[in-house]
Amino acid sequence: MNLDIFSSWTYAQAQAQEDAVLERARERGRELGVESVGSATAGFLTVLAAVSGARNIVEIGTGVGVSGTSLLRGAGKQSALTTIDIDVDHLAAAREAFHDAGIDGSRTRAISGRAQAVLPRLTDGAYDLVFIDADKTHLLEYVTQAIRLVKTGGMVIMHDAFDQHRVPKPAVRQPSTVATRNATRMLREDERFVSTLVPTGLGLQIAARVG
């Protein structure tokens, strides 16, 4: 890699600053063994939510509330988040983060369960933004559901689009890496979307629905 490019990437990641709310959420994450989105990614999610004007958001994989808090802060006070996670401890930690951030409880709906069972019950084309940060085993199913859920003008955002930086290495054929490549291809080749891969943190695949 060109060292100037790497230096610029490192510099950009280091510019991210977080307040005590997200710092406490990250501490809870360390106690639970949960890896949250990085600081630069959290900041980028806030900006994306703000510029998109998202009102209704779905999050697949709650973590401890770092990404959900970031999205809601950007989306504004009229927005609402439906977040799905199989682990009740993760959901409890996320609720603490939302409360610490001053987010009204009526703006969040935390659903405990397997995303592949919950997502089919959500309404077609009713959401402005779908954020995916969950297990790679069911990633293609999550992307398929996200495509169904997002309305025209909305976007699908997939976190860890580099699969821990393995995706760019052609020789790596781990199941998670293959699933990530296939999910990226699914979004890129869908003519209803325009898509781009952003090298922030572990990578964000962003697809905006235009048709």
Side-chain angles (χ1 to χ4, degrees):
M1 175 185 285
N2 182 305
L3 290 180
D4 288 338
I5 295 174
F6 180 75
S7 296
S8 296
W9 180 88
T10 303
Y11 174 80
Q13 302 303 302
Q15 297 311 297
Q17 296 183 353
E18 293 186 327
D19 61 9
V21 170
L22 292 185
E23 289 175 357
R24 286 196 297 272
R26 292 187 186 282
E27 179 60 34
R28 287 189 287 270
R30 285 188 285 271
E31 293 172 359
L32 292 170
V34 175
E35 182 180 0
S36 301
V37 300
S39 299
T41 300
F44 194 45
L45 291 175
T46 299
V47 172
L48 284 175
V51 299
S52 70
R55 297 286 295 269
N56 293 303
I57 303 170
V58 173
E59 179 181 47
I60 307 169
T62 306
V64 291
V66 172
S67 51
T69 299
S70 301
L71 288 165
L72 285 170
R73 282 176 163 176
K77 293 183 178 180
Q78 301 303 313
S79 62
L81 172 73
T82 297
T83 185
I84 306 163
D85 203 291
I86 198 170
D87 194 307
V88 293
D89 291 332
H90 296 178
L91 291 171
R95 289 189 187 96
E96 286 190 59
F98 300 153
H99 179 269
D100 287 351
I103 296 168
D104 190 281
S106 64
R107 295 178 58 202
T108 62
R109 177 172 59 153
I111 301 176
S112 173
R114 296 180 301 113
Q116 59 268 35
V118 175
L119 291 169
R121 303 203 302 264
L122 302 184
T123 304
D124 292 13
Y127 297 90
D128 304 291
L129 191 156
V130 180
F131 178 62
I132 305 170
D133 186 18
D135 66 286
K136 297 298 180 75
T137 305
H138 301 284
L139 183 57
L140 287 176
E141 186 174 352
Y142 299 155
V143 171
T144 299
Q145 289 292 336
I147 289 171
R148 178 183 67 81
L149 293 172
V150 74
K151 63 178 65 172
T152 301
M155 69 176 71
V156 176
I157 306 173
M158 185 177 74
H159 181 241
D160 191 21
F162 294 139
D163 189 39
Q164 301 293 317
H165 302 293
R166 290 185 286 260
V167 164
K169 302 173 183 176
V172 177
R173 303 289 298 173
Q174 291 186 21
S176 63
T177 309
V178 173
T180 303
R181 290 181 181 132
N182 289 338
T184 297
R185 187 179 302 112
M186 180 186 292
L187 288 169
R188 188 176 62 239
E189 295 180 354
D190 192 314
E191 295 181 354
R192 296 167 295 180
F193 288 83
V194 291
S195 181
T196 189
L197 177 59
V198 180
T200 297
L202 296 176
L204 290 174
Q205 183 70 37
I206 304 173
R209 184 158 192 160
V210 296

